[in-house]
Amino acid sequence: MTKPDKSRSEHLSAEFADMFLQPATAHSQQVREVFNSIPTAVAALCAVVDGEPRGIVATSLAVGVSYDPPMVSFSAQTSSTTWPYLRRAGRIGLSILSDEQIDECRQIASKAGSRFADLETMPTERGGLLVKRAAAWLECSISAVVAAGDHEVVLLQVEGVDMRPGSEPLIHHRAGFRNLAAMADV
Ligand SMILES: Cc1cc2nc3c(=O)[nH]c(=O)nc-3n(C[C@H](O)[C@H](O)[C@H](O)COP(=O)(O)O)c2cc1C
């Protein structure tokens, strides 16, 4: 992270926020650093489409988008070759990966190699695919897709939920992985 200079560290006393805000330009390192400084869960979004398992990992997940009906969202890169398959799925299985699943995360996100070789999954009746040993599971249907720059925001209606007692979610933070057990209460 860029070391804050004196004027930035004193930004709270600045008369206008413009004095310390950096311009948020496309693909800027500053934007990337700020986005990456915000911890997120790691979701695997998987489904069986035309008989083939398909899936991606996403850290753009937002939960609690709505409680009535229950809705979550994530953003899919417009360049993704997997998202067009998932979009056609009857249901998407959304697994919140646990802190024991860094390998599974890397495998499902990989560009090369089989994303599902030796990966333990559970199909749902309507075509969703859930990853075993995850911390929580949501079976979702696609409610809306909204264009958002180089991504599409996907609103998902949650049709079914469960969680694995005693497990903790994997946390993505500053381009690395963390677990909640290593963090202190405040
Ligand atoms: C930690 C991490 C977070 C990611 N988050 C997202 C995301 O929010 N949205 C997305 O579309 N892809 C995300 N990806 C990329 C996908 O998981 C996957 O690598 C990519 O979609 C593969 O290309 P394909 O869609 O062409 O198969 C992420 C990858 C990693 C490793």
Side-chain angles (χ1 to χ4, degrees), residues 72-95:
V72 300
S73 73
F74 83 101
S75 296
Q77 296 169 353
T78 51
S79 61
S80 169
T81 58
T82 300
W83 165 233
Y85 288 101
L86 291 178
R87 194 173 178 167
R88 289 202 282 117
R91 289 281 194 272
I92 295 178
L94 195 161
S95 305

Side-chain angles (χ1 to χ4, degrees), residues 42 55-61 74-77 79-83 105 108-111 115 151 172 177:
V42 181
I56 60 169
V57 158
T59 50
S60 53
L61 181 76
F74 83 101
S75 296
Q77 296 169 353
S79 61
S80 169
T81 58
T82 300
W83 165 233
C105 170
I108 300 167
S110 73
K111 286 267 184 193
R115 291 184 193 171
H151 281 66
H172 189 255
F177 295 105

Side-chain angles (χ1 to χ4, degrees), residues 40-160:
T40 61
V42 181
L45 296 117
C46 306
V48 179
V49 186
D50 302 332
E52 291 285 324
R54 304 277 178 181
I56 60 169
V57 158
T59 50
S60 53
L61 181 76
V63 296
V65 168
S66 164
Y67 282 80
D68 182 14
M71 295 179 89
V72 300
S73 73
F74 83 101
S75 296
Q77 296 169 353
T78 51
S79 61
S80 169
T81 58
T82 300
W83 165 233
Y85 288 101
L86 291 178
R87 194 173 178 167
R88 289 202 282 117
R91 289 281 194 272
I92 295 178
L94 195 161
S95 305
I96 304 298
L97 296 182
S98 76
D99 57 8
E100 302 151 15
Q101 294 187 303
I102 294 179
D103 289 346
E104 284 90 332
C105 170
R106 295 207 168 106
Q107 183 175 348
I108 300 167
S110 73
K111 286 267 184 193
S114 168
R115 291 184 193 171
F116 292 92
D118 299 324
L119 188 77
E120 290 188 84
T121 55
M122 303 173 282
T124 71
E125 256 179 56
R126 298 189 180 196
L129 197 58
L130 299 168
V131 180
K132 285 189 183 175
R133 298 188 306 112
W137 299 281
L138 294 78
E139 192 194 25
C140 302
S141 58
I142 296 173
S143 175
V145 179
V146 182
D150 59 5
H151 281 66
E152 289 182 326
V153 177
V154 184
L155 284 171
L156 296 170
Q157 182 155 332
V158 182
E159 311 283 355

